[in-house]
Amino acid sequence: MAKLFVNTEKKGAKINRNIYGHFSEHLGRCIYNGLFVGKDSPIPNVNGMRTDVVDALRKIRVPVLRWPGGCFADEYHWKDGIGPGESRKRMINTHWGGVVEDNSFGTHEFMEFCRQVGCEPYVNGNVGSGTVQEMSEWVEYMTFDGISPMAELRKQNGHADPWKLKFFGVGNENWGCGGNMRPEFYADQFRRYATYVRNYGDNKIFKIACGPNAGDYEWTDKVMAIAGKYADALTLHYYTAPYGDWKKRGCATGFNEESYYSTLRYGLKMEELVSNHLKIMRRHDPEGRVGLIVDEWGAWYDVEPGTNPGFLYQQNTMRDAMLAAVTLNIFNHHADGVVMANIAQMVNVLQAVVLTEGEKMLLTPTYHVFDLYKEHQDATLLDSWVEAHEIGVGEEKVPNLHQSASVDAAGRVHVTVANLSVSESQEIDLTAAGMEGASVSIRLLAGAMDAHNTFDAPETVKVESLTDFARRGGGVQFTLPPCSVAAVELA
Ligand code: AHR
């Protein structure tokens, strides 16, 4: 029996709901066929947005969505994606898959999608191949309410009122696909571009600077030193590949136990990355004004056999659910510094929460983790501790248990705990001081390490209620099956 303690007296920061955010890019079938099918599609839609996908995303309370990339953002010229459909430019998406981009999904469509899902838009601007004027005009187009060429253009395109836009990214991966810049050069570019990302009326923009790739601490140090005072947040990108090796990552399904544990081992590195980058950021910004945004994270495997290598389409198993569980626990633990995170990507790309095929849609194991964890959104972090031991294969070692806890505005305590073992179940004795008399409900996601949903069997992996628990000595005792995640509510 492993002890799990929650100290309801020791409260941490508020868990920003945006930690449960998502990322969508003009890549493969994320936007086209994933989110958007167009008004004339036989697939049920509202204004071109897939109804099944929108409904599924509303259920997990998606708080924020990043768009249009990714690497695509630094090649995207927003004026190509406005105005009547027939006049929009057709071009090749040279970065991803070499397919035709007809620009039928642009600014208006993105804002409409966010409206339907009920989430905040996070727009990523183009520094790599765009101009200051282009970025400045995009913000004016979206948010200016008054007499101006861009506000006029927006009105001509059918949207009289400006949109509310809070989150704006000034470039993406400018150390790589976004221009191969050095940190000093990017930091100066950020200062320049961000100057013209204006606040119009009461629309206040939260300016997001391009941060490091994984453990590139020099980037964080230099960008914070030169541009930190002009930014509201810095981004971190970290993808998980088994063995931390792009060449050995293998397929999303049909992997062995060593690969499973290796994936989680490298996923758990998020803890040290977030801690170390935050420490550097705090050296430059002792008051913690600048937040950390992990706006690309998730598992990256080989593409599904027979699919376009540029589409990054992969299946999603219980291994990915476990990766999501530990990653979200880590973000919760760093609620005082991590102000947003965006899983890559929302639909049909990398560690997607939804997969589609024609008119069919399925929810992945990762989706169900976001469902289990949604009660942490805007709740207050609680101190928690679990009695774990090391498990794994060879060098690929991980703790068997991983947890986080919070209390929401109504006083309900939420504990999420994962059993990472592929073979051993684990009895848990959960104690939350002060909640001895509380009513308990437990929701559970469990399955073999490579269990997944298919279009023919979309409910192989799904959340169930766990009713088989006991109350003894003020605690709650229950058993976590191998490879499982539970969300316990004490109310
Ligand atoms: O998510 C896929 C790609 O990964 C993004 O376009 C880029 O930012 C990152 O390298």
Side-chain angles (χ1 to χ4, degrees), residues 194-339:
T195 303
Y196 304 95
V197 172
R198 305 270 197 217
N199 292 324
Y200 294 111
D202 62 357
N203 190 76
K204 172 98 177 66
I205 296 208
F206 188 85
K207 296 178 189 175
I208 300 168
C210 165
N213 181 24
D216 183 353
Y217 299 117
E218 190 198 353
W219 182 278
T220 299
D221 193 34
K222 294 213 162 119
V223 172
M224 281 299 294
I226 300 167
K229 69 176 178 188
Y230 301 94
D232 294 307
L234 193 70
T235 61
L236 163 66
H237 287 184
Y238 177 61
Y239 284 100
T240 300
Y243 307 101
D245 183 345
W246 246 224
K247 294 199 193 85
K248 286 169 72 182
R249 61 192 176 196
C251 203
T253 53
F255 49 86
N256 61 22
E257 286 188 17
E258 189 186 73
S259 171
Y260 167 90
Y261 285 117
S262 182
T263 307
L264 297 180
R265 177 183 163 205
Y266 281 90
L268 284 159
K269 284 197 181 295
M270 186 66 88
E271 171 63 41
E272 83 182 49
L273 292 172
V274 166
S275 303
N276 291 345
H277 284 295
L278 279 171
K279 267 188 212 133
I280 297 168
M281 290 168 69
R282 294 297 169 260
R283 277 212 306 268
H284 296 278
D285 166 39
E287 277 156 24
R289 188 190 59 78
V290 183
L292 183 65
I293 292 183
V294 188
D295 65 1
E296 290 188 30
W297 69 270
W300 192 319
Y301 308 116
D302 292 344
V303 298
E304 287 301 302
T307 63
N308 185 329
F311 278 17
L312 308 185
Y313 177 72
Q314 62 192 41
Q315 246 296 357
N316 193 292
T317 67
M318 277 304 294
R319 170 172 66 168
D320 301 294
M322 306 308 286
L323 177 67
V326 300
T327 306
L328 294 170
N329 282 337
I330 291 169
F331 294 155
N332 285 348
H333 287 300
H334 287 280
D336 57 345
V338 178
V339 298

Side-chain angles (χ1 to χ4, degrees), residues 23 25 27 70-72 96 172-173 177 237 239 296 300 312 344-345 350:
F23 168 42
E25 182 167 11
L27 194 178
C71 295
F72 185 82
W96 299 116
N172 167 74
E173 296 196 352
C177 64
H237 287 184
Y239 284 100
E296 290 188 30
W300 192 319
L312 308 185
Q345 296 190 5
L350 299 175

Side-chain angles (χ1 to χ4, degrees), residues 345-362:
Q345 296 190 5
M346 186 176 241
V347 182
N348 290 334
V349 171
L350 299 175
Q351 192 175 343
V353 296
V354 169
L355 300 179
T356 66
E357 192 178 80
E359 78 289 356
K360 294 185 190 158
M361 182 202 73
L362 66 81

